[in-house]
Amino acid sequence: MSDVRRGSLSVVGLGPGALEHLTARAREVIAEASVIIGYKTYLRLVADLLKGKRVLESPMRQELARCAEATRLALVGERVVLVSSGDAGIYGMAGPLLEMLFHAGWQPDAGIRFEVVPGVTALSACAALVGAPLTHDFCAISLSDLLTPWPQIEKRLEAAASADFVTALYNPRSGRRTWQIERAQEIFLRHRSPATPVGLVTAACREHQAISLTTLAHMDVTTINMQTTVLIGNHRTFTKHGLMVTPRGYADKYNLQDHLQAESDPDASPPS
Amino acid sequence: MSDVRRGSLSVVGLGPGALEHLTARAREVIAEASVIIGYKTYLRLVADLLKGKRVLESPMRQELARCAEATRLALVGERVVLVSSGDAGIYGMAGPLLEMLFHAGWQPDAGIRFEVVPGVTALSACAALVGAPLTHDFCAISLSDLLTPWPQIEKRLEAAASADFVTALYNPRSGRRTWQIERAQEIFLRHRSPATPVGLVTAACREHQAISLTTLAHMDVTTINMQTTVLIGNHRTFTKHGLMVTPRGYADKYNLQDHLQAESDPDASPPS
């Protein structure tokens, strides 16, 4: 690595959907890149930012090939951006990319500059679309057993259900993996009321976005696919006017009416 | 609500730190607002965006007063933005604000337009700063027992520890609440190796940001305060060259070396 130009490698979370939820830092890093690498569907969402750049599109399930290509190009001095949807660190490309960099003998103090640029994760985007389900302790669990043994996933489902975590299920159901979400539903029904609110958000912030609120007992698993995030409420989560809210506990301790009827907050500064 | 102008109420996550991680949508909503309400420390981080606007600063612990003020102003036709640090939906203001709106008799189809604008949550920002700790199933648990009974928090700590979730602890320690983080450490030590990596990120993306990697056994709780997020690895999380990584499992199934030595990905499109 001594005789090459100093490349850089940034793994960038694009946020959900297209450009609306992109951060300023993500935009800046993409603008400064010499090469952009990513899954083609995600690259198309940000096509406007890629004009005039070298772009390496890759199909699904080529995560390691993408990481290796990004590493090779950065090692020869390119300013490489690897894009991830949502946040690059939450079930994202930051992990396999770092493993690949370590494997290639990289050290932070010499050679490639490395940066993870965080983005708006699917969890936040989906929560915003259904109301405020994640205002208390929560878990994220992927139902994909391609890389994780199912008994470990099931243990986590049991723990999340029994300790009353609001729970987000990622990768809940694909064409071939259909029973895992039904098993998750059974496990939660053993610990929570059948009326527990469930939010289903598919393709958040994209053209074919679909949102539905249902309950643990009535959740129709056939409407769920790999682009769906399943949000299961805790024992206090409620729905009202088509929105799903998990109380943080303020209303137990304080009187909302007192606040609403109060004069303007005396601690607030005057209008500037 | 029939004889008032149609106001709007947006609760906006600013992301960590200042403007760098703000999304395009958050910036747009702030630009269109007639009134901005928030905790003064957060408002100062985005002072550049607030010039010429009516700004209502409020001190800490005035969450409900802020929600009530935002609701009152929106009901008389103002375009109100309530700001939250990080993401507005994750332990953020979206929840209490919706509770206040419902209490005020609001319905989505009439009256105030309501929007949650998601932001980069502390979880994503802190993870990005230490490497890639959140690439597998994780939990977020707040150690604040002001609104939640401690036995419930302890039950969640037990569940998270025993089911091998990567775990982010929010509000871990304040001037007065000092024993909770020690109790959490004890619980995790009963289920995980003393050598389990722990990342401590204080004031992520702000001027006095501090990052340290330690282990479950050696974690120095006196360095932890209310601005710290504690990231506890799962049984496979490792540290290398000052970074913390939770493997997703690719390296168990595939050979990283094969990928690194391969020619350029044949599925990638040619440079454009």
Side-chain angles (χ1 to χ4, degrees):
Chain A
M1 281 165 53
S2 58
D3 57 354
V4 293
R5 287 172 292 157
R6 185 161 157 81
S8 69
L9 186 37
S10 304
V11 53
V12 173
L14 298 178
L19 297 172
E20 189 178 49
H21 298 293
L22 196 73
T23 68
R25 180 63 188 152
R27 184 179 285 264
E28 180 179 54
V29 168
I30 290 171
E32 290 168 355
S34 60
V35 183
I36 317 276
I37 300 176
Y39 171 40
K40 59 186 176 182
T41 303
Y42 302 151
L43 289 174
R44 281 166 200 175
L45 294 171
V46 292
D48 289 353
L49 302 182
L50 306 181
K51 284 174 187 145
K53 303 227 174 255
R54 185 173 169 197
V55 176
L56 301 178
E57 284 189 359
S58 125
M60 257 184 87
R61 292 172 189 267
Q62 295 291 325
E63 290 85 0
L64 288 185
R66 257 175 264 151
C67 291
E69 184 76 6
T71 299
R72 279 194 299 266
L73 288 168
L75 284 170
V76 296
E78 298 284 355
R79 296 183 306 284
V80 181
V81 162
L82 181 65
V83 302
S84 201
S85 78
D87 176 59
I90 293 184
Y91 299 110
M93 297 296 286
L97 182 61
L98 270 175
E99 287 188 79
M100 190 65 80
L101 274 170
F102 290 147
H103 190 80
W106 169 78
Q107 295 185 27
D109 295 336
I112 305 168
R113 276 178 295 117
F114 175 77
E115 179 182 8
V116 181
V117 179
V120 173
T121 180
L123 212 60
S124 298
C126 295
L129 289 166
V130 299
L134 297 178
T135 56
H136 215 306
D137 304 332
F138 64 90
C139 290
I141 303 174
S142 167
L143 297 191
S144 170
D145 53 359
L146 293 176
L147 299 172
T148 304
W150 179 257
Q152 190 173 348
I153 298 171
E154 188 157 317
K155 187 174 182 186
R156 288 180 182 152
L157 291 167
E158 279 284 348
S162 66
D164 201 36
F165 282 98
V166 180
T167 304
L169 303 179
Y170 281 67
N171 306 314
R173 189 171 182 274
S174 70
R176 281 176 296 184
R177 287 191 307 98
T178 58
W179 59 265
Q180 288 86 347
I181 182 66
E182 294 176 40
R183 188 84 189 100
Q185 184 181 25
E186 281 168 33
I187 291 169
F188 273 81
L189 278 169
R190 284 211 302 271
H191 296 280
R192 287 192 205 171
S193 158
T196 302
V198 171
L200 304 177
V201 183
T202 300
C205 307
R206 298 189 192 162
E207 262 184 280
H208 51 296
Q209 170 182 297
I211 301 169
S212 69
L213 292 191
T214 177
T215 62
L216 204 45
H218 290 107
M219 176 169 83
D220 177 3
V221 299
T222 65
T223 65
I224 294 172
N225 63 42
M226 281 298 276
Q227 291 192 67
T228 308
T229 301
V230 178
L231 295 166
I232 303 172
N234 70 17
H235 85 284
R236 300 202 57 192
T237 304
F238 64 91
T239 54
K240 188 164 179 172
H241 302 318
L243 293 167
M244 178 176 175
V245 178
T246 302
R248 184 87 175 88
Y250 290 107
D252 305 336
K253 196 163 175 178
Y254 306 102
N255 188 319
L256 297 187
Q257 191 60 29
D258 287 352
H259 280 282
L260 210 53
Q261 288 179 334
E263 287 303 302
S264 288
D265 178 5
D267 289 317
S269 64
S272 60
Chain B
M1 281 163 54
S2 59
D3 58 354
V4 294
R5 285 171 294 159
R6 184 159 157 84
S8 69
L9 187 35
S10 304
V11 53
V12 174
L14 298 178
L19 298 173
E20 189 178 49
H21 298 294
L22 196 73
T23 68
R25 180 64 187 150
R27 184 179 284 264
E28 181 179 53
V29 169
I30 291 171
E32 290 168 355
S34 61
V35 184
I36 317 276
I37 301 177
Y39 171 40
K40 59 186 175 184
T41 303
Y42 302 151
L43 289 174
R44 282 168 198 173
L45 294 171
V46 292
D48 288 353
L49 302 183
L50 306 181
K51 283 172 188 148
K53 303 228 173 255
R54 184 173 171 197
V55 176
L56 300 177
E57 284 189 358
S58 126
M60 256 184 87
R61 293 171 188 270
Q62 294 290 327
E63 289 85 0
L64 287 185
R66 255 174 266 151
C67 292
E69 184 75 4
T71 299
R72 278 195 298 267
L73 289 168
L75 284 171
V76 296
E78 298 284 354
R79 295 182 307 284
V80 181
V81 162
L82 181 66
V83 301
S84 201
S85 76
D87 176 61
I90 293 185
Y91 300 110
M93 297 295 286
L97 181 60
L98 271 176
E99 287 188 80
M100 190 66 80
L101 274 170
F102 290 146
H103 190 80
W106 169 78
Q107 294 185 26
D109 295 335
I112 304 167
R113 275 179 295 118
F114 175 77
E115 180 183 8
V116 182
V117 179
V120 173
T121 181
L123 211 61
S124 298
C126 295
L129 289 167
V130 299
L134 298 178
T135 54
H136 215 306
D137 303 334
F138 64 90
C139 289
I141 303 174
S142 168
L143 297 191
S144 170
D145 52 0
L146 293 176
L147 297 174
T148 304
W150 179 256
Q152 190 173 349
I153 298 171
E154 188 156 316
K155 187 174 182 187
R156 289 182 181 151
L157 290 168
E158 279 283 346
S162 66
D164 200 36
F165 282 98
V166 179
T167 304
L169 303 179
Y170 280 68
N171 307 313
R173 189 172 181 272
S174 72
R176 281 176 296 185
R177 287 191 307 97
T178 57
W179 58 265
Q180 288 84 346
I181 181 66
E182 295 176 40
R183 187 86 189 99
Q185 183 181 25
E186 281 168 33
I187 291 168
F188 273 82
L189 279 169
R190 283 211 303 271
H191 296 279
R192 288 193 205 169
S193 158
T196 302
V198 172
L200 304 176
V201 182
T202 300
C205 308
R206 297 188 192 162
E207 261 184 281
H208 50 297
Q209 170 182 297
I211 300 168
S212 69
L213 291 191
T214 176
T215 62
L216 203 46
H218 290 106
M219 176 169 84
D220 176 4
V221 298
T222 65
T223 65
I224 294 172
N225 63 43
M226 280 298 275
Q227 291 192 66
T228 308
T229 301
V230 178
L231 296 166
I232 303 172
N234 71 17
H235 85 287
R236 300 202 56 190
T237 304
F238 63 90
T239 55
K240 187 164 179 170
H241 302 320
L243 293 167
M244 178 175 175
V245 178
T246 302
R248 185 86 175 91
Y250 290 107
D252 305 337
K253 198 163 174 178
Y254 306 101
N255 188 320
L256 298 187
Q257 189 62 28
D258 287 351
H259 280 282
L260 210 52
Q261 288 179 333
E263 287 304 301
S264 289
D265 179 3
D267 289 318
S269 65
S272 61

